[in-house]
Amino acid sequence: MMQGVLRGLYGFVLAPLLLGMGGAQASGLDQDILGVWQTAHGHSYIRIYDKDGGYFGQGVVHPTDSVQQARAAGQPQILAHFLPQRPGVWSHGTIYDPDNETHFQGILTLLSPDRLKVYGYVGLQWLGGETIWTKVHGREGKWSPYGQDG
């Protein structure tokens, strides 16, 4: 009887505390995904920003371009509606491939502070492909939460 009560207390008191610690880790990683990323072939830049709890990626011509500048120049939105799944992983979003004008479901995985795995698939998660983006550092990749992006 006493063991059942202790298990109940563990689930009621300790589990939320442990989940809260995981959330703290996730928020730090969430900030790591923000900024400008260079695509695998080095021909394009994507500025990742947060909006209403989701993560979006706007194609930009130059790493210093804001989201608004890129939209005004007709650049496509590449990532949309990604939600944190666990620390360093975002899912339930869509990826747009402007080369063939196709949308894919996607998963983003932060491999390191400088490397982001972008996995796109149609239908079944195991039927897809991945690419690695590299973070742009310095003034070009600087992100500001004060209205520049979003």
Side-chain angles (χ1 to χ4, degrees), residues 40-106:
H41 299 294
H43 301 298
S44 302
Y45 298 101
I46 312 299
R47 180 175 292 279
I48 296 180
Y49 61 97
D50 62 346
K51 179 180 172 186
D52 300 328
Y55 291 86
F56 295 78
Q58 177 69 45
V60 293
V61 177
H62 305 287
T64 55
D65 291 349
S66 71
V67 169
Q68 289 82 6
Q69 289 170 322
R71 287 181 186 152
Q75 293 299 306
Q77 182 173 314
I78 303 299
L79 305 175
H81 304 288
F82 279 87
L83 300 173
Q85 182 179 4
R86 60 182 179 272
V89 178
W90 298 264
S91 63
H92 304 294
T94 57
I95 301 168
Y96 175 66
D97 181 353
D99 291 337
N100 60 21
E101 300 181 357
T102 304
H103 287 87
F104 299 93
Q105 294 171 290

